[in-house]
Amino acid sequence: MNPVIRPLLLLVIAALLAGCGKTVTLQAALQDTDANEIVMALTAAGIVVAKHQDKTGVSLQVAEADIPRATAVMQAAGLPRRNRSNLGEVFKKQGMISSPMEERIRYLHGLSEELEATLQQFDNVVSARVHVVLPERIAPGEPIQPSSAAVFLKYRMPLDEDAIAPRVRRLVASSIPGLVGEDGRSKVTVVMTLAEAPPRPVEWAMVGPFKIEAGSATQLWSTLFGMAALIAAGLGYAGFNVARRHPAVARMLARRAAKRGGDAAAGAAG
């Protein structure tokens, strides 16, 4: 290979390899439902994600350069969902006999887990937590402190807090015994907070076979045209060197050189 062409080809290959980003694992050991939620969120944000199934579950891989943006998208969407125990897992006994208090704690914990999953069915609710306080007697002879519950909701717009909060309060009070007082008022506190807005989706553009961000398309086109011009110049120079070694071309170049020399001498004499 011509010594001029070889470094040009190596330069092109290096540029193509640099454009192929390294892929890394974003999440691993996921359930298929959770993995699909993440894939939908990342795809909507313009991030290419690949799913792989193994013995431990589903793993998701993205380009290394997309890790910060993918993490931000997942945090804004509350993904992956927190693993929750179902009632069967919560009520699994570890010993032969459980105390009434242990049974009640497991029961309330199971209800809280189920309620959190139910609350996330509201439109635009990103995540939900339910904390239940058991009735407790502070000291002998003192009245028993009644049960209460605190609900935390993280949501994104559009969502009307004034309309959702009473519905959440009624749902939780009706699901857990002891949360409705004698006066009919529930002992449920609802705290709601607005989640951060997800990152803006990336606009993509095709530059030949490459899919890149639209803002970088002009720069890539300029780079490709510059490389093409450099390659064309190198090929032209190499072709000229090869052609002038041909005897016929060499004679023609010699005649032209002699003619230019004669014209120059005649001009000097005149």
Side-chain angles (χ1 to χ4, degrees), residues 34 62 65 96 125 161 269:
D34 295 332
V62 299
M96 295 295 296
V125 171
E161 290 191 22

Side-chain angles (χ1 to χ4, degrees), residues 111-133:
L111 282 178
S112 299
E113 295 276 310
E114 296 290 336
L115 276 171
E116 290 172 7
T118 301
L119 291 173
Q120 289 190 175
Q121 300 306 309
F122 283 101
D123 292 340
N124 297 321
V125 171
V126 175
S127 62
R129 295 297 303 272
V130 178
H131 302 276
V132 180
V133 179

Side-chain angles (χ1 to χ4, degrees), residues 12-270:
V12 173
I13 294 173
L16 294 177
L17 291 178
C20 303
K22 175 184 176 184
T23 59
V24 296
T25 300
L26 177 66
Q27 291 284 323
L30 293 171
Q31 295 183 358
D32 194 57
T33 303
D34 295 332
N36 289 337
E37 281 190 296
I38 296 175
V39 170
M40 290 178 61
L42 296 183
T43 302
I47 300 175
V48 179
V49 55
K51 287 176 57 178
H52 297 281
Q53 180 78 46
D54 54 29
K55 294 181 179 179
T56 61
V58 180
S59 62
L60 301 179
Q61 293 185 339
V62 299
E64 187 174 22
D66 288 334
I67 285 291
R69 196 157 54 89
T71 303
V73 171
M74 291 171 56
Q75 288 179 346
L79 299 174
R81 306 291 184 187
R82 187 171 63 90
N83 291 330
R84 292 183 173 83
S85 305
N86 57 40
L87 287 176
E89 293 172 341
V90 172
F91 275 89
K92 187 183 296 183
K93 293 184 178 181
Q94 302 298 326
M96 295 295 296
I97 301 175
S98 297
S99 68
M101 178 61 74
E102 291 174 338
E103 292 288 349
R104 183 167 177 78
I105 290 174
R106 284 198 292 267
Y107 173 66
L108 290 178
H109 177 72
L111 282 178
S112 299
E113 295 276 310
E114 296 290 336
L115 276 171
E116 290 172 7
T118 301
L119 291 173
Q120 289 190 175
Q121 300 306 309
F122 283 101
D123 292 340
N124 297 321
V125 171
V126 175
S127 62
R129 295 297 303 272
V130 178
H131 302 276
V132 180
V133 179
L134 293 173
E136 182 181 6
R137 191 185 301 274
I138 304 300
E142 294 289 330
I144 297 178
Q145 298 294 324
S147 299
S148 62
V151 180
F152 171 79
L153 294 180
K154 180 183 287 188
Y155 68 93
R156 56 176 172 266
M157 298 299 291
L159 187 141
D160 187 352
E161 290 191 22
D162 295 333
I164 292 296
R167 297 167 63 185
V168 171
R169 194 174 290 111
R170 287 196 301 271
L171 175 64
V172 175
S174 301
S175 302
I176 299 179
L179 293 185
V180 179
E182 295 178 357
D183 57 357
R185 300 179 61 183
S186 64
K187 302 179 180 65
V188 180
T189 301
V190 179
V191 177
M192 305 179 68
T193 183
L194 182 63
E196 294 182 1
R200 295 179 58 184
V202 177
E203 296 182 2
W204 298 97
M206 296 299 297
V207 179
F210 305 106
K211 181 180 179 181
I212 64 169
E213 295 185 21
S216 303
T218 302
Q219 182 178 359
L220 181 57
W221 274 120
S222 300
T223 302
L224 292 177
F225 280 133
M227 294 174 61
L230 183 62
I231 293 174
L235 292 176
Y237 179 74
F240 174 75
N241 284 335
V242 172
R244 71 178 182 177
R245 294 191 183 96
H246 193 276
V249 175
R251 287 194 298 270
M252 181 184 67
L253 293 176
R255 286 196 299 268
R256 287 187 177 181
K259 182 179 179 182
R260 284 198 299 268
D263 292 341

